[in-house]
């Protein structure tokens, strides 16, 4: 039994105890001892599966909750189109004011604000657009979590 994890030391101890009891009690109790050991293994597997199912269910519930609150679920094409039109309409007077008052630096500041507002709107309606996707944690295939 080489290569066992630290998490499996209890199971190894149970197996050793079962084998020792078999040596002491003889073949008459072998079936009962094997059944008892298998019951413990079964309980351990059921516990690990139960924890994994609960974790996955919680992850799914979080995903559903995020999707429900996501602005993308309520944003329509018309809303995005309207935002773009309003942004362009406001860009003309903002450019004139910024360029007239502070010349090139004012024009750059006005357009930086326009681009910033549009970038925030695009990120809000398209999560992950700018590479902010979260990496999923690696799945653990051990029995115990």
């Amino acid at each position: 039994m080489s290569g066992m994890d630290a998490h499996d030391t209890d199971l190894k101890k149970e197996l050793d105890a079962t084998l020792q009891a078999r040596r002491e009690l003889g073949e008459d109790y072998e079936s009962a001892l094997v059944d008892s050991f298998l019951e413990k293994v079964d309980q351990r597997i059921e516990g690990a599966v139960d924890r994994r199912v609960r974790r996955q269910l919680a992850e799914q519930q979080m995903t559903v909750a995020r999707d429900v609150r996501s602005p993308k679920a309520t944003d329509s094409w018309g809303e995005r189109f309207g935002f773009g039109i309003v942004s362009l309409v406001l860009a003309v007077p903002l450019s004139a004011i910024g360029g007239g008052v502070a010349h090139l630096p004012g024009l750059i500041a006005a357009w930086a604000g326009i681009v910033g507002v549009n970038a925030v709107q695009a990120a809000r309606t398209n999560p992950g657009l700018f590479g902010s996707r979260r990496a999923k944690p690696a799945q653990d295939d051990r029995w115990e979590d």
Side-chain angles (χ1 to χ4, degrees), residues 1 3-15 44 142-144:
M1 299 203 120
M4 295 188 81
D5 281 55
H7 295 286
D8 294 331
T9 56
D10 291 338
L11 191 60
K12 185 178 185 310
K13 287 179 185 176
E14 288 290 333
L15 179 59
R44 192 155 191 182
R142 292 186 307 206
W143 285 1
E144 293 224 342

Side-chain angles (χ1 to χ4, degrees), residues 10-92:
D10 291 338
L11 191 60
K12 185 178 185 310
K13 287 179 185 176
E14 288 290 333
L15 179 59
D16 290 340
T18 302
L19 292 174
Q20 182 64 31
R22 197 280 187 196
R23 282 187 212 107
E24 291 174 6
L25 298 174
E27 292 182 17
D28 296 337
Y29 294 97
E30 183 173 334
S31 177
L33 291 170
V34 169
D35 288 343
S36 172
F37 178 74
L38 290 178
E39 179 66 29
K40 291 174 185 174
V41 170
D42 190 40
Q43 289 173 354
R44 192 155 191 182
I45 290 171
E46 285 179 11
V49 169
D50 187 46
R51 283 188 299 278
R52 183 166 290 163
V53 166
R54 281 184 283 156
R55 184 181 64 218
Q56 289 177 348
L57 181 61
E59 288 173 359
Q60 287 176 350
Q61 288 173 342
M62 286 175 45
T63 300
V64 167
R66 285 185 192 130
D67 287 345
V68 168
R69 291 185 310 211
S70 172
K72 191 174 185 178
T74 59
D75 288 342
S76 65
W77 181 84
E79 183 179 342
R80 291 191 310 262
F81 182 73
F83 189 86
I85 295 295
V86 169
S87 179
L88 287 175
V89 166
L90 292 177
V92 173

Side-chain angles (χ1 to χ4, degrees), residues 74-145:
T74 59
D75 288 342
S76 65
W77 181 84
E79 183 179 342
R80 291 191 310 262
F81 182 73
F83 189 86
I85 295 295
V86 169
S87 179
L88 287 175
V89 166
L90 292 177
V92 173
L94 288 175
S95 297
I97 294 169
V101 172
H103 305 292
L104 183 60
L107 186 63
I108 291 173
W111 275 96
I114 293 166
V115 169
V117 167
N118 281 282
V120 168
Q121 174 68 8
R124 188 180 75 81
T125 58
N126 299 305
L129 180 67
F130 297 111
S132 63
R133 293 185 179 143
R134 292 181 178 171
K136 292 180 88 174
Q139 290 293 328
D140 193 2
D141 290 333
R142 292 186 307 206
W143 285 1
E144 293 224 342
D145 295 325

